[in-house]
Amino acid sequence: MKRHKALEWVSVQTKMEANSDKLRSLNEMELTGGEPDVVGYDKKTDEYIFYDCSAESPKGRRSICYDHEALRSRKEHKPRNSAINMAVDMGIEILTEEQYRELQQLGEFDAKTSSWVKTPADIRKRGGALCCERRYGHVFLGHNGADSYYAARGFRGSLRV
């Protein structure tokens, strides 16, 4: 409740029930370990905003590279999927760095894991991708080759309903 004190759950529930495709996306977030929760409301668009609020990067979305291009470029030891592919399949958006930092205002997330975040095209063109994590009481933005993958790196998503 601390993440959405000012929101009336009945309004959120009504919106969710009117959008079955969004319910499917929320279910996918939950099934992959994301623990989605309402973190805000956009008055301009009349949408509730959900983020993955699991303590660590969602377990069902780890050991993946950044995007399809990175997945395709790996010759050996390919991961099973990519963050961008999974997000599209789930009907959610991967968090931006700004959204990731907003999430960190609601608690301490990714103390032992890291999460891919949306990467600017100029970085991606050069083969890189961005990730974030929380260590030593601070949020860090890092980078890796987009084709890299680690057991402790996944991605967090957002959904607007």
Side-chain angles (χ1 to χ4, degrees):
M1 291 300 295
K2 66 182 180 181
R3 293 186 192 122
H4 41 79
K5 290 178 188 173
L7 299 178
E8 293 183 29
W9 183 249
V10 174
S11 300
V12 177
Q13 184 177 0
T14 300
K15 278 262 197 198
M16 289 170 46
E17 290 172 351
N19 292 284
S20 60
D21 58 324
K22 304 288 184 168
L23 277 175
R24 183 199 67 81
S25 295
L26 282 172
N27 188 52
E28 288 294 319
M29 290 171 82
E30 189 69 38
L31 288 173
T32 55
E35 299 178 24
D37 198 2
V38 180
V39 297
Y41 175 72
D42 185 335
K43 290 179 184 175
K44 290 179 184 174
T45 62
D46 186 33
E47 294 174 310
Y48 292 97
I49 303 163
F50 290 78
Y51 286 172
D52 286 307
C53 293
S54 54
E56 302 299 336
S57 196
K59 284 185 180 182
R61 296 185 235 156
R62 295 185 198 167
S63 295
I64 55 174
C65 61
Y66 180 72
D67 62 10
H68 185 71
E69 181 182 335
L71 181 63
R72 195 178 66 241
S73 74
R74 284 195 70 98
K75 302 297 180 217
E76 296 181 332
H77 311 293
K78 288 186 181 225
R80 62 183 162 74
N81 210 338
S82 76
I84 299 299
N85 286 355
M86 288 183 77
V88 168
D89 289 347
M90 294 169 69
I92 63 176
E93 296 287 328
I94 189 170
L95 290 186
T96 64
E97 178 189 356
E98 179 182 348
Q99 290 170 324
Y100 187 90
R101 291 183 184 280
E102 288 172 4
L103 173 67
Q104 291 289 349
Q105 298 301 308
L106 303 173
E108 294 190 5
F109 303 92
D110 285 336
K112 297 175 186 170
T113 57
S114 63
S115 295
W116 291 114
V117 293
K118 189 167 179 139
T119 299
D122 64 322
I123 294 172
R124 187 60 200 94
K125 244 192 301 190
R126 291 179 171 96
L130 301 178
C131 55
C132 288
E133 61 188 29
R134 183 180 197 97
R135 303 289 191 275
Y136 313 108
H138 293 274
V139 177
F140 291 92
L141 173 67
H143 64 87
N144 270 116
D147 64 345
S148 66
Y149 64 99
Y150 303 95
R153 178 167 303 144
F155 77 94
R156 293 175 180 276
S158 69
L159 179 70
R160 290 174 160 263
V161 180

